[in-house]
Amino acid sequence: HTCALQTNGDIFCWGDNGQGQVGSDADPNNFGVVPGFTSVTAGPFVDVIAGAYHSCGMKDDGSVTCWGYNDDTQLDVPGTGPEEEPVVFTDIAAGDRHNCGIVDDGSILCWGSNATSKVDGHTNIGGGATPYIGPFTDLSIGKEHSCGLMEDKSILCWGKDTSGQSSVPGVE
């Protein structure tokens, strides 16, 4: 599936809706453009990301909403639970079954599947939000790894590294 941000701040997604990842009540077997919006995709949003079977949107207040498949807590955005302090994001990115976001203090929080340490970088158990202390200015996520660009232009990556995707060249 694919998602796009419209000029009015609404999100429009289309393609495979087998897990509700296009944010519509349309036929889950629909592989074409899905017309209409649901309340979850009504703006104003400032960013949209698409994972394997989930999507997330970030509003101008830094709040994030996710929809679609939630088999690995990839929809459970940090700061949205009943006992949690709200989290203000400035950027978000999606992987296969995990997401990361830069928080307003410059740190990175990741949530969702931790099967290859792509969430916390050092264990294959759990899930939930794990902070990386920055300050970070950008992030990029692959299927099973995550990377952040720090303010000093250094790069930190974590997660699956079978092909060197988490090993930054020149960094020990």
Side-chain angles (χ1 to χ4, degrees), residues 81-168:
E83 303 295 320
E84 296 178 315
E85 290 290 322
V87 175
V88 177
F89 290 94
T90 60
D91 196 8
I92 53 175
D96 183 31
R97 292 177 168 183
H98 77 293
N99 306 302
C100 294
I102 298 177
V103 182
D104 60 352
D105 68 2
S107 63
I108 289 180
L109 285 178
C110 297
W111 66 97
S113 171
N114 195 36
T116 57
S117 303
K118 57 195 167 211
V119 169
D120 70 11
H122 53 76
T123 181
N124 284 328
I125 60 171
T130 301
Y132 289 88
I133 307 303
F136 289 92
T137 60
D138 202 4
L139 71 158
S140 181
I141 298 181
K143 181 178 179 183
E144 295 183 344
H145 72 286
S146 307
C147 295
L149 176 66
M150 299 188 79
E151 196 170 72
D152 66 3
K153 304 300 180 202
S154 61
I155 299 171
L156 175 65
C157 295
W158 55 95
K160 191 171 185 175
D161 196 36
T162 54
S163 299
Q165 64 267 42
S166 293
S167 298
V168 181

Side-chain angles (χ1 to χ4, degrees), residues 15-98:
D16 180 4
N17 193 36
Q19 302 296 329
Q21 63 268 36
V22 300
S24 171
D25 295 329
D27 178 357
N29 297 313
N30 185 347
F31 288 91
V33 174
V34 179
F37 299 100
T38 63
S39 61
V40 77
T41 56
F45 285 92
V46 296
D47 198 4
V48 61
I49 56 175
Y53 298 104
H54 72 284
S55 306
C56 301
M58 183 175 72
K59 293 196 172 191
D60 59 2
D61 65 0
S63 64
V64 173
T65 302
C66 297
W67 58 94
Y69 195 44
N70 196 31
D71 64 328
D72 284 311
T73 69
Q74 62 267 40
L75 304 186
D76 300 342
V77 181
T80 59
E83 303 295 320
E84 296 178 315
E85 290 290 322
V87 175
V88 177
F89 290 94
T90 60
D91 196 8
I92 53 175
D96 183 31
R97 292 177 168 183
H98 77 293

